Amino acid sequence: MPNRATQAPKAETPAPTGEGAIIEMAGVGHRYGQSDALRGIDLTVSEGEIFGFLGHNGAGKTTTIHILTTLIVPTSGSARVCGHDVVAHRLDVQRAIGYLPENVRMYDHLTARENLRFFARLSGVADIPRAIDDALGFLGCQDLADRRVGTFSKGMRQRIGIAQAILHRPRVLFLDEPTSGLDPMGVRQLRDTIERLNAELGMTIFMNTHLLSEVSRVCSTIGVLADGELIYRDTLARTLECFPDEASLEDIYVRLEDG
């Protein structure tokens, strides 16, 4: 397969002054049997960014997140998060990150508070009652605390999932297709939450998504993955400047995918 990265601009924006790379991938590859899910990914994400990772279904986005969150081991190359190698120092990485999967898994027969208490113990949170109250208060969902999760809508479950992911105040929050299944109000609430987590708590956000409209509203930087290869990475502002003839981010994405 030809290297598609040479067929489209692939400017690697340097880290902002005073802020280094918080996520680093060097030659990362991953194979499932005889199939290459990732092909030598080189990527850096700077601290404080809201990074939108774009790609079609099957491009390798979730595999990338699973490597960065230590759920799977790369077949080749290396990756570091918050300065820790994802293979050699898994526990250090896990302490530094939060993760919201596409399908939030919780115990339906427990209340939101009971679920959060359970996961806080697993994460080694020191002051669990305070951490739970702070997370629920930040997300504005204290009213859900003592209701059973099995009665929740998709949007409610996701808000508690985010509360779970930020209980220990991680430096990096990974979101895998966070808008999947949400109604327009849920998407808007998620967008506001992402912006607040970044601006008020200083979290770096790494978001897998295919919903380009949301990327254009919240992300500071984007990367495009196609067939396991990183074919583009730059700031959103520079991306829009580099493609002045395209009417929308959707048009730019199609152009990059088509090479």
Side-chain angles (χ1 to χ4, degrees):
M1 176 179 291
N3 185 354
R4 300 170 62 174
T6 62
Q7 301 176 24
K10 188 184 175 185
E12 182 74 17
T13 305
T17 302
E19 297 178 352
I22 199 166
I23 296 171
E24 303 169 86
M25 302 178 72
V28 172
H30 191 76
R31 293 176 64 85
Y32 294 105
Q34 299 302 311
S35 176
D36 286 312
L38 295 179
R39 306 168 186 269
I41 301 297
D42 295 315
L43 173 67
T44 61
V45 176
S46 298
E47 188 163 12
E49 287 186 334
I50 302 178
F51 183 80
F53 204 38
L54 302 167
H56 57 267
N57 290 337
K61 301 189 307 298
T62 296
T63 297
T64 301
I65 272 196
H66 283 175
I67 288 172
L68 294 174
T69 56
T70 77
L71 293 177
I72 61 175
V73 175
T75 306
S76 59
S78 63
R80 299 172 68 85
V81 179
C82 300
H84 307 297
D85 185 276
V86 298
V87 177
H89 304 109
R90 291 178 64 250
L91 292 179
D92 291 323
V93 173
Q94 292 169 9
R95 294 186 187 102
I97 67 172
Y99 173 47
L100 181 74
E102 181 175 357
N103 297 307
V104 180
R105 296 181 180 179
M106 286 178 281
Y107 295 101
D108 287 352
H109 64 286
L110 299 180
T111 66
R113 189 184 302 277
E114 289 168 340
N115 269 280
L116 293 175
R117 186 181 299 123
F118 173 77
F119 289 110
R121 287 171 179 165
L122 290 181
S123 299
V125 174
D127 189 343
I128 292 177
R130 179 175 179 178
I132 292 173
D133 287 342
D134 286 350
L136 292 174
F138 182 85
L139 297 169
C141 52
Q142 301 97 318
D143 57 318
L144 301 179
D146 299 309
R147 294 172 55 182
R148 283 195 299 175
V149 170
T151 68
F152 287 0
S153 67
K154 168 76 173 182
M156 292 174 181
R157 291 178 70 91
Q158 190 189 59
R159 289 166 72 191
I160 300 304
I162 294 175
Q164 172 192 324
I166 67 172
L167 280 171
H168 58 302
R169 293 296 177 93
R171 292 177 62 192
V172 184
L173 179 62
F174 291 93
L175 306 174
D176 193 2
E177 296 287 358
T179 57
S180 176
L182 294 182
D183 59 25
M185 181 59 69
V187 171
R188 176 177 292 183
Q189 289 177 338
L190 175 68
R191 183 197 315 147
D192 293 343
T193 297
I194 290 173
E195 291 177 335
R196 290 185 60 221
L197 288 169
N198 180 254
E200 297 178 25
L201 300 187
M203 290 184 191
T204 300
I205 310 293
F206 187 107
M207 179 172 67
N208 278 359
T209 185
H210 63 272
L211 196 59
L212 298 174
S213 60
E214 292 312 305
V215 169
S216 66
R217 293 179 180 180
V218 301
C219 293
S220 54
T221 311
I222 66 169
V224 178
L225 195 67
D227 299 321
E229 295 184 4
L230 183 70
I231 62 171
Y232 185 82
R233 189 256 194 238
D234 209 336
T235 66
L236 181 62
R238 285 180 55 180
T239 299
L240 297 174
E241 290 176 1
C242 287
F243 295 91
D245 297 330
E246 306 299 340
S248 66
L249 185 58
E250 283 83 357
D251 293 335
I252 295 173
Y253 175 71
V254 170
R255 180 172 165 185
L256 289 169
E257 281 262 288
D258 289 344

